[in-house]
Amino acid sequence: MSLVFGIAGCKPLPPSMPPSEWTPQEARGAQVFQEKCARCHYPTTAHSLHGPGLQALTKLRSMPSGEPPTDERLTDRILHGYGLMPGTPLTDQQLKDLLAYLHTL
Ligand code: HEC
């Protein structure tokens, strides 16, 4: 699927996948998110908490920074932090699960 959505302005964002449709890996990733990311990010809205809301993160053309939301970029942001966001050390498995989950948003 190659749908590309523009900047999140007036257009509604595509909805996040409901938990009932998650694969086991995505469900594990959701747990990682709850532990490591939820205190600063809302996953399924575009509203900011401490950092930007992450709804439709991987379906948008670019992240708030303007970078494309590729797994490579996301991995770098997550592990090493970025601007006001601290890095989060994760195991390879946690990282894979988390990336799978981020694709459901
Ligand atoms: C202590 C709060 C905090 C935590 C914990 C945190 N973030 Fe962030 N995050 C931020 C802030 C603040 C920004 C905006 C950074 C900036 O623009 O300076 C951000 C930005 C981002 C971005 C946008 C990057 C871009 O290029 O625009 C993504 C994606 C992201 N965070 C994902 C995550 C994920 C996934 C986790 C969990 C592993 C996480 N964050 C944990 C605060 C946090």
Side-chain angles (χ1 to χ4, degrees):
M1 190 165 89
S2 65
L3 281 181
V4 176
F5 296 88
I7 305 287
C10 332
K11 284 190 200 153
L13 292 170
S16 304
M17 187 190 285
S20 57
E21 292 176 21
W22 288 343
T23 65
Q25 180 175 43
E26 289 159 357
R28 287 197 305 272
Q31 270 178 2
V32 175
F33 188 91
Q34 283 307 316
E35 281 169 32
K36 312 281 188 185
C37 321
R39 69 195 159 95
C40 294
H41 293 282
Y42 292 124
T44 55
T45 82
H47 300 291
S48 296
L49 187 53
H50 298 295
L54 301 182
Q55 182 187 359
L57 177 69
T58 59
K59 296 162 197 152
L60 297 171
R61 198 189 306 265
S62 58
M63 300 194 283
S65 63
E67 299 276 359
T70 59
D71 282 0
E72 204 181 17
R73 274 290 154 209
L74 286 167
T75 297
D76 186 62
R77 296 291 195 238
I78 290 166
L79 297 182
H80 305 297
Y82 156 72
L84 298 170
M85 171 167 148
T88 304
L90 295 175
T91 64
D92 284 354
Q93 190 61 55
Q94 285 176 316
L95 178 65
K96 275 190 206 146
D97 294 348
L98 178 61
L99 287 172
Y101 169 69
L102 293 178
H103 281 271
T104 71
L105 298 181

